[in-house]
C-alpha cells in the first residue's frame, strides 16, 4: 500500500460489530497541521495519482468503482467530490445526485433508480446521496415511508433491518460482478454545521446554498446520527467498506477521501492491456508506413 492510501486507514470500517459513531471525532486531522497551501499541494499530488490509476481502469475496461457519499447538510459532499475528482478524465467518471424521489421512481422498488445509474466497466461512478437515504431520511421521517405505496403487510417494525439486509446483499452482488463499492460518511459536528449555515447567511456568494429546511432538519440531529450508526453497522464489510471521514476541516476531508479512492483503485491490480504478438507486428507495420510516408 502506498503512503497516499495509508492516510485513510484509521477511518475505514469493515465490520459493524463494534462500530460506534462516537468513537470517531469530526475534528480529527490525523495529527496534521497543514497550512492551506500545503494541504492543496498534497491533495494535488493525490489527485494526479488517482488520475493515473483511473486511466488504467478505463483502458482495462473490466472493473468499475462506485463511490457513495452520504452526510448531513453542509458537511462538504459537493466540494469534496469536485476537488477529489478534479484531475480525472470526465469520460471515465459519472456523477449522479439523488433527491426526493419522483412519482415515477415511487412506482418502483427502492433500488430501481440508483441501479439504472451504476457505473459501466472502466468507469468511476459517484452517488451524491444514494439508496442509503431509504434508511436515513425515510427512517427519521415516517411520513415519507407512508407515501411509498408499499403493501401494508410489508410495512412492519422490521422494515429498516430488512432494507439494510437488502442493501448489503446488493453490494455483495455488485462486487461479485467486478464493481467495487466504497461508501463515505462525511462526519461533520453539529457545531461546525451551525457555523457553515451562518456563513451561508452572511456571505452573499453563499446565500444560494442556504435552505430553510436544512435548519429544520437540525432538530432531528440525534435521530440521524442513530440512523447512520445503524446503517454503517449493518453494511460495513471488507468488500464494501464505509469510511467515516472527519469533516470539520475541509482540507482534511478531501485528503482522506482522495486517499481512500487511491486505496480502492490500488487494490484492483490495474494494468494497461497487454498487446499480443500479432498486434505488435501490426503496430510495427503502421509505424514503418508512417515513418516513410511523405507529407
Ligand atoms: P445541497 O444542499 O448541498 O445542494 P443536497 O444533497 O442536500 O445538496 P438537496 O436538494 O438540498 O440536495 O436535498 C435533497 C434532499 O432529498 C435531501 O434532504 C435528502 O434527504 C432527500 N432525499 C434523497 N433521497 C430521498 C429518498 N429516497 N426519499 C426521500 N427523500 C430523499
Ligand atoms: Mg441540501
Amino acid at each position: 500500500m502506498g503512503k497516499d492510501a495509508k492516510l485513510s486507514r484509521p477511518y475505514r470500517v469493515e465490520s459493524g460489530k463494534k462500530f460506534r459513531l462516537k468513537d470517531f471525532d469530526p475534528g480529527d486531522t490525523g495529527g496534521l497541521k497543514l497550512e492551506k497551501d500545503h494541504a492543496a499541494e498534497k491533495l494535488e499530488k493525490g489527485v494526479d495519482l488517482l488520475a493515473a490509476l483511473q486511466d488504467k481502469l478505463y483502458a482495462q475496461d473490466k472493473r468499475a468503482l462506485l463511490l457513495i457519499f452520504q452526510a448531513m447538510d453542509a458537511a462538504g459532499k459537493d466540494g469534496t467530490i469536485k476537488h477529489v475528482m478534479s484531475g480525472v478524465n470526465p469520460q471515465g467518471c459519472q456523477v449522479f445526485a439523488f433527491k426526493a424521489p419522483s412519482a415515477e421512481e415511487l412506482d418502483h422498488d427502492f433500488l430501481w433508480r440508483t441501479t439504472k445509474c451504476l457505473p459501466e466497466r472502466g468507469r468511476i461512478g459517484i452517488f451524491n446521496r444514494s439508496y442509503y437515504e431509504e434508511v436515513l431520511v425515510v427512517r427519521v421521517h415516517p411520513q415519507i415511508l407512508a407515501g411509498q405505496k408499499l403493501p401494508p403487510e410489508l410495512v412492519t417494525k422490521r422494515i429498516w433491518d430488512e432494507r439494510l439486509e437488502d442493501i448489503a446483499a446488493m453490494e455483495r452482488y455488485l462486487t461479485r460482478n467486478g464493481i467495487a463499492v466504497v461508501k463515505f460518511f462525511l462526519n461533520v459536528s453539529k457545531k461546525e454545521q451551525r457555523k457553515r449555515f451562518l456563513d451561508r447567511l452572511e456571505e452573499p456568494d453563499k446565500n444560494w446554498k442556504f435552505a430553510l429546511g436544512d435548519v429544520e432538519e437540525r432538530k432531528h440531529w440525534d435521530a440521524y446520527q442513530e440512523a447512520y450508526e445503524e446503517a454503517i453497522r449493518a453494511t460495513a464489510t471488507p468488500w464494501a467498506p464505509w469510511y467515516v471521514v472527519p469533516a470539520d476541516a475541509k482540507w482534511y476531508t478531501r485528503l482522506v477521501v482522495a486517499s481512500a479512492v487511491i486505496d480502492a483503485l490500488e487494490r484492483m491490480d490495474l494494468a494497461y492491456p497487454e498487446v499480443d504478438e500479432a498486434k505488435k507486428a501490426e503496430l510495427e507495420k503502421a509505424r514503418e508506413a508512417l515513418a516513410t510516408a511523405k507529407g
Side-chain angles (χ1 to χ4, degrees):
M1 177 174 50
K3 70 176 184 347
D4 295 276
K6 229 172 171 171
L7 186 92
S8 57
R9 268 313 152 88
Y11 314 110
R12 184 180 170 98
V13 183
E14 291 189 344
S15 157
K17 262 193 200 135
K18 291 186 187 141
F19 176 74
R20 276 162 187 236
L21 205 44
K22 73 170 176 44
D23 294 337
F24 290 79
D25 173 12
D28 184 8
T29 55
L32 292 175
K33 279 196 203 78
L34 295 185
E35 296 294 322
K36 214 176 176 186
D37 288 352
H38 193 179
E41 211 175 281
K42 211 169 147 69
L43 180 62
E44 213 173 297
K45 280 199 191 127
V47 168
D48 287 348
L49 177 58
L50 202 159
L53 288 162
Q54 185 237 3
D55 202 49
K56 284 188 193 165
L57 178 80
Y58 189 83
Q60 200 182 53
D61 202 17
K62 283 194 162 52
R63 304 161 192 274
L65 175 60
L66 173 63
L67 306 174
I68 291 184
F69 289 87
Q70 287 290 157
M72 298 298 285
D73 282 298
K77 277 186 288 115
D78 294 14
T80 302
I81 293 168
K82 179 169 129 190
H83 282 88
V84 172
M85 303 314 286
S86 61
V88 163
N89 180 352
Q91 289 208 72
C93 190
Q94 301 157 325
V95 188
F96 297 93
F98 296 98
K99 317 243 169 194
S102 66
E104 188 196 17
E105 288 165 350
L106 285 174
D107 257 337
H108 292 269
D109 60 279
F110 82 84
L111 290 172
W112 182 76
R113 66 172 179 160
T114 42
T115 301
K116 290 195 299 179
C117 300
L118 288 170
E120 295 162 50
R121 297 192 194 281
R123 307 294 213 280
I124 297 178
I126 295 176
F127 285 179
N128 184 346
R129 301 190 189 271
S130 66
Y131 43 78
Y132 278 100
E133 293 291 329
E134 293 290 336
V135 291
L136 298 166
V137 69
V138 184
R139 188 169 190 167
V140 172
H141 297 285
Q143 71 273 25
I144 302 180
L145 184 65
Q148 289 194 338
K149 302 171 72 173
L150 290 162
E153 73 275 16
L154 299 181
V155 185
T156 68
K157 64 178 190 308
R158 288 178 36 241
I159 192 163
W160 312 116
D161 287 341
E162 288 167 355
R163 284 186 174 191
L164 287 166
E165 189 188 325
D166 293 338
I167 287 172
M170 197 266 308
E171 291 178 348
R172 185 74 180 122
Y173 158 83
L174 290 178
T175 58
R176 285 177 172 149
N177 278 272
I179 301 160
V181 184
V182 178
K183 302 158 307 193
F184 297 98
F185 171 52
L186 305 191
N187 185 23
V188 74
S189 67
K190 198 174 179 190
K191 199 170 155 210
E192 178 64 22
Q193 190 201 50
R194 176 172 169 272
K195 188 176 156 284
R196 290 184 190 174
F197 282 166
L198 283 171
D199 284 350
R200 288 179 180 184
L201 287 169
E202 276 157 24
E203 293 177 38
D205 287 357
K206 290 186 180 169
N207 280 174
W208 65 275
K209 275 194 175 182
F210 185 81
L212 209 55
D214 293 352
V215 176
E216 197 57 30
E217 283 311 275
R218 265 171 75 79
K219 291 182 187 153
H220 304 287
W221 184 273
D222 292 344
Y224 271 109
Q225 299 290 304
E226 268 172 45
Y228 269 108
E229 189 169 85
E230 295 266 328
I232 294 169
R233 272 197 194 166
T235 59
T237 61
W239 51 89
W242 274 97
Y243 283 88
V244 179
V245 185
D248 280 3
K250 285 183 181 171
W251 62 269
Y252 193 63
T253 309
R254 291 165 192 174
L255 283 180
V256 172
V257 171
S259 156
V261 179
I262 289 168
D263 192 15
L265 291 169
E266 281 183 342
R267 282 164 195 260
M268 288 184 184
D269 197 19
L270 299 169
Y272 289 106
E274 287 275 339
V275 175
D276 62 18
E277 289 307 316
K279 180 83 181 174
K280 268 188 198 153
E282 216 175 83
L283 294 177
E284 180 54 25
K285 249 193 194 163
R287 197 193 62 77
E288 264 170 34
L290 275 172
T292 55
K294 293 202 181 80

